[in-house]
Amino acid sequence: DGGITQSPKYLFRKEGQNVTLSCEQNLNHDAMYWYRQDPGQGLRLIYYSQIVNDFQKGDIAEGYSVSREKKESFPLTVTSAQKNPTAFYLCASSQGWLEQFFGPGTRLTVL
Amino acid sequence: AQTVTQSQPEMSVQEAETVTLSCTYDTSESDYYLFWYKQPPSRQMILVIRQEAYKQQNATENRFSVNFQKAAKSFSLKISDSQLGDAAMYFCAYRSAYGYGGSQGNLIFGKGTKLSVKP
């Protein structure tokens, strides 16, 4: 079955640690996206990538980094510079002008 | 910049009844796409319905239909014969039809409407 997988489902981070969230898709989509979701808020775009080896900052990129070395993978690193990283993170992919398809998400909690 | 507004933070509907969720948007563009996404308690985002701005006909998917009023910049979602499984957060989203490959092609989301379904 084609789809998007995110791992882990739950992630706990200590203060000052970097953590990496995984996102893999087998839909052969060119574009991939990372969103952050906080209670009472819509989804906010962190980073996006339209093609391999290229990515751009979204609306709230500070404290985050990404890479796009393979078409199917778009990992997100939450660095220690992110002041309030506790949130739900969603990865998505799309092809052309079609709708975005989302993964199941990762819940990150800072201890 | 485009914005999407969902003015109803929470809505409630009786099972088997009909409910309409509101969405308005602000844009100066003439060609764009509008979406409704559903996020159940599992938090998986699921596409409900899509509307292309150049199409006058309102999109329909089974029990879900939209009322697209381009001049009024309104895009409401009607759920008929509501079921318990319809209980979820519903997000309205806008996507420009211009500038694919840049930030203009990204989705802009409203803050969502939480729908409860009463048995």
Side-chain angles (χ1 to χ4, degrees):
Chain A
D1 283 323
I4 302 174
T5 58
Q6 290 185 243
S7 61
K9 187 173 182 178
Y10 300 97
L11 185 58
F12 299 91
R13 193 194 91 169
K14 294 182 180 179
E15 294 279 353
Q17 276 186 336
N18 291 354
V19 290
T20 298
L21 284 59
S22 170
C23 178
E24 303 276 335
Q25 55 100 358
N26 61 3
L27 299 168
N28 201 34
H29 287 171
D30 286 323
M32 297 187 74
Y33 311 81
W34 273 106
Y35 293 92
R36 171 179 172 142
Q37 186 177 25
D38 295 284
Q41 301 267 356
L43 277 64
R44 293 184 290 169
L45 184 65
I46 304 172
Y47 267 98
Y48 64 101
S49 169
Q50 301 287 4
I51 56 173
V52 176
N53 293 321
D54 187 49
F55 49 83
Q56 285 80 39
K57 294 181 180 180
D59 300 320
I60 55 166
E62 186 175 352
Y64 300 97
S65 66
V66 294
S67 63
R68 187 86 188 276
E69 297 176 1
K70 298 186 295 183
K71 186 176 185 178
E72 59 270 22
S73 178
F74 191 41
L76 173 74
T77 296
V78 184
T79 74
S80 57
Q82 171 48 237
K83 301 303 180 187
N84 185 22
T86 294
F88 187 65
Y89 292 86
L90 283 160
C91 178
S93 70
S94 72
Q95 187 62 37
W97 292 111
L98 298 178
E99 57 271 13
Q100 292 183 14
F101 293 88
F102 287 80
T106 292
R107 173 71 184 175
L108 173 62
T109 302
V110 175
L111 301 175
Chain B
Q2 294 84 15
T3 58
V4 176
T5 302
Q6 293 180 249
S7 59
Q8 307 152 314
E10 296 189 26
M11 293 280 288
S12 181
V13 63
Q14 203 73 30
E15 195 175 6
E17 298 292 308
T18 296
V19 64
T20 299
L21 308 183
S22 301
C23 173
T24 58
Y25 56 95
D26 187 27
T27 184
S28 59
E29 297 174 337
S30 59
D31 199 11
Y32 47 85
Y33 300 85
L34 296 164
F35 307 87
W36 277 100
Y37 280 89
K38 169 185 178 181
Q39 188 180 41
S42 67
R43 306 200 75 172
Q44 172 81 55
M45 292 284 284
I46 303 164
L47 178 69
V48 175
I49 202 163
R50 175 184 67 195
Q51 175 79 43
E52 290 89 351
Y54 62 86
K55 290 185 177 179
Q56 293 186 338
Q57 186 173 5
N58 290 323
T60 299
E61 288 287 343
N62 300 314
R63 298 182 295 107
F64 299 87
S65 62
V66 298
N67 183 4
F68 173 49
Q69 301 289 328
K70 191 172 184 179
K73 296 179 184 176
S74 172
F75 182 61
S76 61
L77 175 69
K78 186 172 81 171
I79 306 174
S80 304
D81 185 25
S82 296
Q83 300 175 0
L84 295 177
D86 295 333
M89 283 289 289
Y90 287 82
F91 292 95
C92 179
Y94 171 102
R95 186 176 196 176
S96 171
Y98 304 100
Y100 182 71
S103 61
Q104 285 182 278
N106 293 327
L107 282 174
I108 300 168
F109 285 89
K111 293 190 175 183
T113 296
K114 183 178 181 180
L115 178 67
S116 301
V117 180
K118 298 178 181 178

